[in-house]
Structures are given as structure tokens and as C-alpha cells.
Amino acid sequence: MGTPEFPNLGKHCSVSDCRLLDFLPFTCDRCEQVHCLKHRGYVEHKCTKQNDVKVVICPLCAKGVHIIPDQDPNITWDNHVNIDCDPSNYEKVTTKRKCPAPGCKELLVFSNTVKCRDCMEDHCLKHRFGSDHKCSGPRKLETSFSFMGFLNRSKNEEPKPILTSTASSNWTSSFLNVAYNIRSSAEASMSKLSNEINQVLQAARDGVGQNSGSGNQEESCPECGVKFSSVTSLVDHVQKNHESNGNRLGVKKINACPKCSRGFVDPVSLVEHVEKDHGGGSGAYM
């Protein structure tokens, strides 16, 4: 039996007239004897334990009830009714499904049933596309990152580092910390510059009466360096070009867009620019 390399490979057929060595033998589920391909059937090898398989369809649940040969059929039926019988299954089995598309009466069977990937409902081949059965479609998810929400929350509370294993979470935490630091630095710088320009303007206003008679003295703008013959002209120039509602407008750019190198004073304006002009993805900040 077998080969020199694999001595246990294969088995002989149990039929006395055959005894064929089969490397892929079949085991009978009744007599549990090994047979070859030719004698694998009950009739071919004359199975001694072959019994007629009887199945009765339950009229309550439409399930098949296997009748055990050595058992009273009444006992088998009682066991099924008390344990396995489910009347709610009868309607599912007997009712033929139809295509849910409006006005369609096509019966859904195995060969003509297609499941829509959006609404996850079965339809016939004629209405398999979403436009044909007026598919409502899946719920749209927000794919863009909400930068403004994180920046608004960072005003009232100090950001905490997010310890996660994913790269996206690490990038979110790093960007949040950088944006918060830039915003704080910008607000402090703007407040300091506003105080300085207010002090210069106040000093200029105080010296207007003293220097108004000396028209030959030149005054220079502390911001742009333009010279004026009078303090009044200097004050008007500063109020018109370098001051608006107490906030200085001539502040230098503190940050630049990594894609187009456009400068922004406020980090919020930088974030809005990236979301609008560069798609708002994480690749825009790399």
C-alpha cells in the first residue's frame, strides 16, 4: 500500500471484488467503510446500513423535519414543535420577494438579485443602479478636518498632547500645539506694538502745542520712516495708515503658507487659507 516514499498513502476499496488502491478514498457515512470512486455510492457498494432518508415539511414553519428511522415519528414531531418550530419563519420562506423599486413586480431570485452598495437593499437587474431605483445613498461623512473647532477650544484651555499610535492623531496634536503657540505669540506681539504706537501718538499729541510754531523741524514716522514737517501731519499719517480701531495694521508677517509662501498675521487666517485654497488635507502642512 502506498509508495516507497509515502507507505501510508491511499487505502484499498472495501468491496471484495475490487480492492482497488485509491489515493483519494471515500468513506461511507452509513457503514463507515472506505471505497474507491467507482463504489462510493450506497447502491454500488451495497451498503448494509443504508436507510431511506425521510423529511417532512412542517406546515407551521415550513422547515424540513428529518424522520429518524429508529424513533417513533410522533416523538420526532413533538420534539420539533416544542423546540425548533418557529411560525414566523413560514412567511419568510413562502412569501416571494419582489423588487422594492416603485412599480416593479419582478420576483427576486438568486440569478437576478443585486444588492445596492449604497442603500444595501436587493433589487432586480433592471433597477440595480442607484439612479434606476431612486437610491437615497449612504450618509455623507465629513472628510475634511475641523481645524477651526480645535483652534476655538484652544483659546479657553491649554492643549494636551494626544498619545495615540496612529500617524493622523500625532499630526493633529502637533498642528494644534503649533497653531496655539503661534496665536498666543501673535496676540502678545500685536498688543505690545499697539501699546508702543499709542505711546508715540500720545507723546506726539502732547508736543503739538510746543512744536507747532517751529515749521523747520522734521518729524519721522516710527513705522515707515516717512518725514513730516509738523507733528500734526505725522499724527494724521499714523492714524490713517498705521492704526485702525486701536489695532496696528503694519505688523510684519509672522507665518507663511508652506505651499504658496503667502504670509499671514493671524494663524486663523492661515488655516482658513489652507482649507480653502489647498484642500485642507494633512499634506498641505507637510
Side-chain angles (χ1 to χ4, degrees):
M1 183 174 64
T3 61
E5 293 79 7
F6 303 97
N8 297 325
L9 182 62
K11 292 183 180 180
H12 291 279
C13 181
S14 300
V15 178
S16 58
D17 297 339
C18 180
R19 302 299 298 172
L20 178 66
L21 177 61
D22 197 334
F23 294 101
L24 294 174
F26 296 87
T27 302
C28 179
D29 58 350
R30 296 294 182 181
C31 61
E32 297 182 356
Q33 293 183 356
V34 178
H35 300 89
C36 63
L37 177 63
K38 181 180 179 181
H39 298 97
R40 69 183 186 277
Y42 298 136
V43 178
E44 283 76 7
H45 68 265
K46 299 179 181 180
C47 184
T48 56
K49 294 184 179 182
Q50 178 183 1
N51 295 310
D52 294 334
V53 179
K54 295 182 179 180
V55 177
V56 178
I57 303 300
C58 177
L60 301 178
C61 63
K63 291 183 179 179
V65 181
H66 179 228
I67 302 300
I68 302 176
D70 299 335
Q71 190 177 28
D72 186 1
N74 294 325
I75 298 177
T76 304
W77 178 257
D78 291 340
N79 293 334
H80 166 72
V81 172
N82 296 328
I83 299 175
D84 299 331
C85 187
D86 184 10
S88 62
N89 186 63
Y90 183 84
E91 184 177 357
K92 297 179 181 179
V93 175
T94 58
T95 303
K96 297 181 179 180
R97 297 187 305 160
K98 295 183 179 180
C99 179
C104 182
K105 298 181 180 180
E106 184 74 17
L107 296 178
L108 296 180
V109 294
F110 177 78
S111 60
N112 71 337
T113 302
V114 179
K115 184 181 290 294
C116 180
R117 293 181 295 179
D118 295 332
C119 61
M120 302 305 294
E121 293 185 3
D122 294 334
H123 296 83
C124 63
L125 294 176
K126 183 179 180 181
H127 301 96
R128 64 185 181 275
F129 298 111
S131 58
D132 297 331
H133 62 264
K134 297 181 181 180
C135 181
S136 58
R139 181 181 179 184
K140 296 183 179 179
L141 301 178
E142 295 182 0
T143 57
S144 60
F145 185 80
S146 179
F147 298 103
M148 300 304 298
F150 280 98
L151 290 178
N152 293 332
R153 274 184 284 176
S154 64
K155 295 179 181 179
N156 300 325
E157 58 182 8
E158 186 175 351
K160 298 180 180 179
I162 304 175
L163 300 178
T164 58
S165 58
T166 59
S168 61
S169 299
N170 294 334
W171 176 86
T172 302
S173 177
S174 301
F175 178 77
L176 177 61
N177 294 331
V178 172
Y180 177 79
N181 295 333
I182 292 176
R183 188 186 188 92
S184 301
S185 177
E187 291 178 353
S189 300
M190 293 178 66
S191 178
K192 182 178 179 181
L193 292 175
S194 178
N195 294 333
E196 291 178 357
I197 195 64
N198 290 334
Q199 293 177 2
V200 172
L201 292 176
Q202 186 65 32
R205 293 189 183 97
D206 295 340
V208 168
Q210 299 177 1
N211 299 329
S212 58
S214 56
N216 297 330
Q217 185 178 359
E218 294 183 351
E219 299 291 342
S220 61
C221 177
E223 178 62 27
C224 58
V226 178
K227 296 183 179 181
F228 298 91
S229 59
S230 64
V231 178
T232 304
S233 300
L234 172 61
V235 172
D236 294 339
H237 165 75
V238 171
Q239 290 179 347
K240 181 179 180 181
N241 299 321
H242 301 296
E243 185 179 11
S244 177
N245 297 326
N247 295 326
R248 188 178 182 188
L249 299 178
V251 183
K252 295 181 180 180
K253 301 172 183 177
I254 62 173
N255 201 0
C257 176
K259 287 293 184 180
C260 60
S261 301
R262 181 180 175 183
F264 295 88
V265 175
D266 193 349
V268 177
S269 301
L270 171 60
V271 173
E272 292 177 349
H273 162 71
V274 172
E275 288 184 329
K276 180 179 180 181
D277 299 334
H278 301 296
S282 58
Y285 297 91
M286 300 302 293

